[in-house]
Amino acid sequence: MATCSSSLLVLPNLRWSSNQRRNFKVRAQISGENKKTTSLEPVNNNGSVSLSSVQNQKGTNEVNGKVKSQKKIVSEEIELLWDDGYGSKSVKDYFAAAREILKPDGGPPRWFSPVDCGRPVEDAPTLLFLPGMDGTGMGLVPHHKALGKAFHVSCLHIPVLDRTPFEGLVKVVEDVLRQEQVTRPNKPIYLVGDSFGGCLALAVAARNRSLDLVLILVNPATSFDRSPLQPLLPILEMVPEELHFTVPYALSFIMGDPIKMATLGIDNQLPTGIKMEKLRQRLTKTMLPLLSELGGIIPRETLLWKLKLLRSGCAYANSRIHAVQAEVLVLASGKDMMLPSQEEAKRLHGVLKNCSVRCFKDNGHTLLLEDSISLLTVIKGTGKYRRSWRYDLVSDFLPPSKGELAYALDEVLGFLRNAVGSVFYSTLEDGRIVKGLAGVPDEGPVLLVGYHMLMGLELGPMSEAFIKEKNILFRGMAHPVLYSDNDPAKAFDYGDWIKVFGAYPVTATNLFKLLSSKSHVLLFPGGAREALHNRGEQYKLIWPEQQEFVRMAARFGATIVPFGTVGEDDIAELVLDYNDLMKIPILNDYVTEITRDTKQFKLREESEGEVANQPLYIPGLIPKVPGRFYYLFGKPIETKGRPELVKDKDEANKVYLEVKAEVENSIAYLLKKREEDPYRSVLDRLNYSLTHTTATHVPSFEP
C-alpha cells in the first residue's frame, strides 16, 4: 500500500466485451406518484427513470438516535498509481454505447448509472451528467472508470423521440437534486453540462441557489446565439429527409476534431511511425465509418427539435445567469468551430460570481471525446473535488493515477527529467551514504526539509524518485498564488499538475493537518526568496530565524530528514534577477504588472529581512548544455519522545540549527563529489546510453 495523504476507489457501469452481447445494467428508480426501486436490463422503461441506486452511506454511526458522520481519508481506500482507465475507451465505444441505449428507445427522459463507473469511495458526492445535442448521455464514456472512483455517477438520457421542452428538462434535473439532498445531505452535487447540458446546468443552478452545487461546463451552449453556424441553420431545416444522413456527418467535422478523437487511447510512448500508422487505421477503418452513423442517432425531426431546444435553453439560461451562486468551472476548447467557446468562457468568468476557466487550445467542440486530459484530473488539478461543504486537503485528496504519472512525466516534465539525469543519495542511521533513498524512513510522519533550487526545478525529478523507488507521494507546499484563478484564458498548466501530485497552500494549519495524518511532507524554509534568489546566491540558505517547523514536527513525533540539492548552475546561468529587472524601464513595467496580483498573498508578514515576502517573477536565464541534478538526504533526526522541543524554544532552536547545518553540509558534499562524476554532462550520459543499451541507469560517483 502506498504511503500517501489520501485516496479513492472505483467500479463500472456500462460494461461490455467484444465477445459478448453488449448490454446495460442499471439500478433505477421510477419517479412519480408510485415510486419504487427496480433493476433494469437493458434500459427500456416507459416511465420516467430517475437516479440509480439509493444506498445508505458508510462511515456513519447512530448515537442516541442521531447519525454522527465519520469522514474517511480517501487514500486509505485506494493505492497510489491506481488505474483510472483513461485512454482504454474511445469514440468507437461511445458509438457502440449510443447504438445500444437507443435500441429500447421510448418514453420520457431518464437517468442511468454506467456499470463502468463501479463503486466510489466512501462519502463520495454525486455527479450528474447533462448531455449535449446527442442526448444519449454517453458523452462521458472515456471518463467513466475514473469518475466512478470519486463520484456516484448518473447520466441523463433524452430519448430520440422525446419532445420534453427545456423547462421540463429543468424539472427532471431538479427532481433528482431533491432526492440527492435527502439521500446524501451536506454534500455537494456536481453537474457536468456538455454544450446544451451547460445551459441546463446553469438554469438549474439559478433556480436552486440554496443548494451546494458545483457546475462543470464543457463548451456551454450559452453562446449559441453567436454561433458561426447561425446563417446555416435555416438551410438545415430545408434539407429533404432522403438527404438528411449527410447533415450529421457534415456537422461531425464541425463539432469535433476527428484526429483528436482518433488519437484518444494511442500510447504516447510509441515510436512516431507506429503512432501515425495506428492513427491512420483508426481514421480510415473506425472514425469515418462511425461518423456516418450520426444520422441514426440524430434523425431529421430530432435535429430540428434539438436546435429549438438550444435556442430556448440559451435564452433561458442567459436570462437567469446573474442568479447563479454555484461554484463554476468552465472548460473551453480553442478549436471549437460550432461555438465561440473561449470568448464565452471569458464572458462567464466576468458574469458569474465564483467562476474558474481552463482552456484547451488544441481541442474541438466535443472535448470530452477527444484526446486530452481526464476530466477527473481537471477536477483535481483545479481544486474542485470535495466531499463536504469545503475541501479538506487531507481527507479529500485523490492520489495520482498511473495514467496521470505517465502524462506528467512525458508531457509536463519530459525534457527536464531527461536532460538532468537526476541522481539520489541518502544517509543510513549509521551515517553511511548510499545510492538511492534507503535512508529515508518509509513510515510517516516525515518532514523533508531542504534547499529550494532556482525556480523549484528540483521538485519534478524528486517526486518521481519517491513514487517509483519508495511508492511514496510526499506532499509539497505551494505558493497561494497557484490557487488564484483570475485568468479567464488560463490553460491547464504546471500549476494545476503540482496540485494533482499533492501540493498544498503553505500555511501552518495545513502543515499541522498533514503531519497529523502521518504523511511525508516537503518543506522549504527559504520559500520563494530562495527559489528566486539573486545572482551570486546559488546554494545559499535564506531561511527565517523562526524554528516553528521543529516544534510542529515534535508535536507529532515526526522524523525530520534534511536534504541538499545541486545542479541549477549546470543547466542555466542567472543573468537578470529581480533587482536587475527593476532597473530596466520596459521590464520594470512588465514585472510590476505580472506581480500585481501576488501582492495580496502575505505569507511572512511576521518575518523581517530578505526572507520576507518575495515578489514572484520570471528571472532572466541563459541555458547551458545540461549537467546533472544531485540530491543527498541526510541522517534522519528523530523528534519522537522529545516533548521539550514543543515548549522549549532554545532546545527547538538547537535542532533547527542542526537541520540547517546538515543541509549546508549536504550541498557542500555534492558540489565536491560531482566533480568525480564521469557522466555529469548530458552528452556523456547520452553516449553511455547508446553504448549500454540494456542499462536502466547511467552511473555516477561512488559515495
Side-chain angles (χ1 to χ4, degrees), residues 20 60 83 88 125 129 137 164 188 199 205 217 239 273 290 335 363 437 459 582 590 616 625 636 643 678 691 701:
Q20 297 175 339
T60 57
D83 181 12
S88 62
F129 176 61
T164 302
C199 297
L217 311 179
V239 174
L290 285 174
K335 294 182 179 179
N363 289 91
L437 300 173
L459 287 172
M582 297 305 289
Y590 173 72
L616 301 184
V625 175
T691 56
F701 65 79

Tab-separated table of all heavy atoms in Angstrom, residues 20 60 83 88 125 129 137 164 188 199 205 217 239 273 290 335 363 437 459 582 590 616 625 636 643 678 691 701:
chain	number	residue	atom	x	y	z
A	20	GLN	N	-19.056	-10.563	-26.217
A	20	GLN	CA	-20.355	-10.743	-25.586
A	20	GLN	C	-21.367	-9.803	-26.217
A	20	GLN	O	-21.010	-8.787	-26.813
A	20	GLN	CB	-20.263	-10.423	-24.088
A	20	GLN	CG	-19.323	-11.369	-23.336
A	20	GLN	CD	-19.196	-10.928	-21.895
A	20	GLN	OE1	-19.458	-9.796	-21.555
A	20	GLN	NE2	-18.800	-11.850	-21.053
A	60	THR	N	-20.932	6.046	8.988
A	60	THR	CA	-21.734	6.817	9.919
A	60	THR	C	-22.123	5.931	11.081
A	60	THR	O	-22.321	4.724	10.950
A	60	THR	CB	-23.020	7.342	9.246
A	60	THR	OG1	-23.761	6.233	8.721
A	60	THR	CG2	-22.678	8.273	8.091
A	83	ASP	N	-5.362	2.558	-11.400
A	83	ASP	CA	-5.703	2.555	-12.826
A	83	ASP	C	-6.989	3.336	-13.037
A	83	ASP	O	-8.069	2.892	-12.654
A	83	ASP	CB	-5.857	1.116	-13.324
A	83	ASP	CG	-6.198	1.051	-14.812
A	83	ASP	OD1	-6.085	2.089	-15.495
A	83	ASP	OD2	-6.557	-0.042	-15.282
A	88	SER	N	-8.540	3.853	-22.279
A	88	SER	CA	-8.964	2.497	-22.631
A	88	SER	C	-10.277	2.495	-23.407
A	88	SER	O	-10.631	1.508	-24.039
A	88	SER	CB	-9.105	1.645	-21.367
A	88	SER	OG	-10.098	2.174	-20.501
A	125	PRO	N	-19.476	12.289	-3.306
A	125	PRO	CA	-20.596	13.122	-3.760
A	125	PRO	C	-21.205	12.563	-5.037
A	125	PRO	O	-20.680	11.616	-5.632
A	125	PRO	CB	-19.921	14.478	-4.015
A	125	PRO	CG	-18.515	14.128	-4.381
A	125	PRO	CD	-18.165	12.897	-3.575
A	129	PHE	N	-24.486	13.920	-15.115
A	129	PHE	CA	-24.037	14.336	-16.446
A	129	PHE	C	-25.227	14.751	-17.288
A	129	PHE	O	-26.176	13.985	-17.484
A	129	PHE	CB	-23.278	13.204	-17.136
A	129	PHE	CG	-22.869	13.541	-18.546
A	129	PHE	CD1	-22.015	14.607	-18.800
A	129	PHE	CD2	-23.359	12.799	-19.617
A	129	PHE	CE1	-21.646	14.932	-20.103
A	129	PHE	CE2	-22.981	13.104	-20.922
A	129	PHE	CZ	-22.125	14.175	-21.163
A	137	GLY	N	-26.461	10.659	-23.372
A	137	GLY	CA	-25.904	10.545	-22.030
A	137	GLY	C	-24.612	9.761	-21.991
A	137	GLY	O	-24.088	9.471	-20.921
A	164	THR	N	-39.709	16.705	-24.719
A	164	THR	CA	-39.858	17.479	-23.483
A	164	THR	C	-39.240	18.858	-23.667
A	164	THR	O	-38.083	18.977	-24.087
A	164	THR	CB	-39.152	16.769	-22.313
A	164	THR	OG1	-39.687	15.458	-22.161
A	164	THR	CG2	-39.342	17.542	-21.014
A	188	PRO	N	-21.791	18.245	-1.662
A	188	PRO	CA	-22.023	18.971	-2.917
A	188	PRO	C	-22.586	18.046	-3.983
A	188	PRO	O	-22.395	16.828	-3.929
A	188	PRO	CB	-20.618	19.455	-3.291
A	188	PRO	CG	-19.708	18.442	-2.691
A	188	PRO	CD	-20.362	18.017	-1.398
A	199	CYS	N	-26.234	24.815	-20.623
A	199	CYS	CA	-27.401	25.686	-20.436
A	199	CYS	C	-28.318	25.115	-19.357
A	199	CYS	O	-28.833	25.846	-18.500
A	199	CYS	CB	-28.169	25.833	-21.745
A	199	CYS	SG	-27.262	26.627	-23.073
A	205	ALA	N	-29.055	25.709	-11.617
A	205	ALA	CA	-28.351	26.403	-10.537
A	205	ALA	C	-29.008	27.736	-10.206
A	205	ALA	O	-29.084	28.127	-9.035
A	205	ALA	CB	-26.890	26.619	-10.935
A	217	LEU	N	-18.875	23.164	-16.772
A	217	LEU	CA	-19.486	23.484	-18.060
A	217	LEU	C	-18.464	23.264	-19.171
A	217	LEU	O	-17.434	23.942	-19.211
A	217	LEU	CB	-19.983	24.929	-18.067
A	217	LEU	CG	-20.840	25.363	-16.864
A	217	LEU	CD1	-21.227	26.825	-16.993
A	217	LEU	CD2	-22.069	24.477	-16.730
A	239	VAL	N	-33.355	20.785	-45.782
A	239	VAL	CA	-32.770	19.577	-46.357
A	239	VAL	C	-33.819	18.467	-46.358
A	239	VAL	O	-34.417	18.165	-45.317
A	239	VAL	CB	-31.538	19.130	-45.546
A	239	VAL	CG1	-31.011	17.792	-46.058
A	239	VAL	CG2	-30.452	20.194	-45.625
A	273	GLY	N	6.453	6.529	-35.946
A	273	GLY	CA	5.941	5.786	-37.097
A	273	GLY	C	4.774	4.889	-36.737
A	273	GLY	O	3.773	4.821	-37.461
A	290	LEU	N	-17.824	5.412	-38.572
A	290	LEU	CA	-18.690	5.646	-37.421
A	290	LEU	C	-19.430	6.969	-37.536
A	290	LEU	O	-20.600	7.074	-37.138
A	290	LEU	CB	-17.862	5.627	-36.126
A	290	LEU	CG	-17.396	4.258	-35.632
A	290	LEU	CD1	-16.470	4.421	-34.439
A	290	LEU	CD2	-18.584	3.386	-35.251
A	335	LYS	N	-10.384	25.257	-30.537
A	335	LYS	CA	-10.720	24.994	-31.939
A	335	LYS	C	-12.178	24.582	-32.092
A	335	LYS	O	-12.517	23.760	-32.944
A	335	LYS	CB	-9.800	23.911	-32.500
A	335	LYS	CG	-8.339	24.332	-32.583
A	335	LYS	CD	-7.476	23.242	-33.200
A	335	LYS	CE	-6.026	23.682	-33.313
A	335	LYS	NZ	-5.170	22.620	-33.895
A	363	ASN	N	-8.220	21.540	-28.870
A	363	ASN	CA	-9.387	20.659	-28.943
A	363	ASN	C	-10.578	21.328	-29.607
A	363	ASN	O	-10.689	22.552	-29.644
A	363	ASN	CB	-9.775	20.177	-27.546
A	363	ASN	CG	-8.778	19.184	-26.984
A	363	ASN	OD1	-7.821	19.556	-26.314
A	363	ASN	ND2	-9.001	17.912	-27.259
A	437	LEU	N	17.257	5.955	-2.026
A	437	LEU	CA	16.512	6.599	-0.942
A	437	LEU	C	16.296	5.688	0.254
A	437	LEU	O	15.364	5.890	1.038
A	437	LEU	CB	15.150	7.078	-1.475
A	437	LEU	CG	15.208	8.088	-2.622
A	437	LEU	CD1	13.807	8.354	-3.172
A	437	LEU	CD2	15.848	9.396	-2.163
A	459	LEU	N	11.850	19.824	-7.978
A	459	LEU	CA	10.641	19.166	-7.478
A	459	LEU	C	10.208	17.964	-8.317
A	459	LEU	O	9.903	16.901	-7.783
A	459	LEU	CB	9.500	20.180	-7.407
A	459	LEU	CG	9.594	21.207	-6.278
A	459	LEU	CD1	8.521	22.264	-6.431
A	459	LEU	CD2	9.488	20.519	-4.933
A	582	MET	N	14.195	45.378	-12.339
A	582	MET	CA	13.548	46.609	-11.908
A	582	MET	C	14.316	47.860	-12.339
A	582	MET	O	13.786	48.969	-12.292
A	582	MET	CB	13.369	46.608	-10.388
A	582	MET	CG	12.450	45.500	-9.876
A	582	MET	SD	10.810	45.509	-10.647
A	582	MET	CE	10.097	46.970	-9.912
A	590	TYR	N	6.726	45.542	-16.894
A	590	TYR	CA	6.222	44.181	-17.114
A	590	TYR	C	6.198	43.394	-15.800
A	590	TYR	O	5.198	42.749	-15.464
A	590	TYR	CB	7.096	43.470	-18.144
A	590	TYR	CG	6.772	42.004	-18.321
A	590	TYR	CD1	5.613	41.597	-18.972
A	590	TYR	CD2	7.621	41.021	-17.815
A	590	TYR	CE1	5.312	40.258	-19.122
A	590	TYR	CE2	7.323	39.681	-17.960
A	590	TYR	CZ	6.172	39.302	-18.616
A	590	TYR	OH	5.881	37.973	-18.758
A	616	LEU	N	6.971	37.495	-6.962
A	616	LEU	CA	7.113	36.384	-7.894
A	616	LEU	C	7.341	36.930	-9.300
A	616	LEU	O	6.605	37.805	-9.764
A	616	LEU	CB	5.859	35.507	-7.865
A	616	LEU	CG	5.508	34.891	-6.510
A	616	LEU	CD1	4.312	33.967	-6.661
A	616	LEU	CD2	6.680	34.150	-5.909
A	625	VAL	N	24.484	23.718	-21.805
A	625	VAL	CA	24.397	22.284	-22.097
A	625	VAL	C	24.172	21.596	-20.758
A	625	VAL	O	24.979	21.741	-19.837
A	625	VAL	CB	25.689	21.769	-22.759
A	625	VAL	CG1	25.612	20.258	-22.938
A	625	VAL	CG2	25.907	22.461	-24.086
A	636	PRO	N	18.424	10.964	9.294
A	636	PRO	CA	17.151	11.366	9.897
A	636	PRO	C	17.319	11.836	11.338
A	636	PRO	O	18.121	11.281	12.096
A	636	PRO	CB	16.306	10.088	9.819
A	636	PRO	CG	16.911	9.295	8.705
A	636	PRO	CD	18.379	9.593	8.761
A	643	PRO	N	9.540	15.713	24.117
A	643	PRO	CA	8.498	16.722	24.352
A	643	PRO	C	9.060	18.108	24.635
A	643	PRO	O	8.359	19.110	24.467
A	643	PRO	CB	7.735	16.165	25.557
A	643	PRO	CG	8.717	15.262	26.248
A	643	PRO	CD	9.535	14.666	25.155
A	678	PRO	N	31.912	10.968	-13.939
A	678	PRO	CA	32.323	10.978	-15.351
A	678	PRO	C	31.168	11.239	-16.313
A	678	PRO	O	31.393	11.491	-17.499
A	678	PRO	CB	32.905	9.577	-15.547
A	678	PRO	CG	32.211	8.733	-14.530
A	678	PRO	CD	31.988	9.635	-13.342
A	691	THR	N	25.799	3.201	-25.921
A	691	THR	CA	26.748	2.079	-25.908
A	691	THR	C	26.388	1.013	-24.879
A	691	THR	O	26.997	-0.055	-24.870
A	691	THR	CB	28.170	2.596	-25.631
A	691	THR	OG1	28.176	3.334	-24.397
A	691	THR	CG2	28.644	3.477	-26.765
A	701	PHE	N	29.054	9.173	-9.394
A	701	PHE	CA	30.172	8.973	-8.464
A	701	PHE	C	29.783	8.004	-7.350
A	701	PHE	O	28.603	7.853	-7.002
A	701	PHE	CB	30.640	10.307	-7.884
A	701	PHE	CG	29.613	11.015	-7.018
A	701	PHE	CD1	29.393	10.634	-5.696
A	701	PHE	CD2	28.865	12.076	-7.524
A	701	PHE	CE1	28.462	11.282	-4.899
A	701	PHE	CE2	27.938	12.730	-6.735
A	701	PHE	CZ	27.733	12.337	-5.417
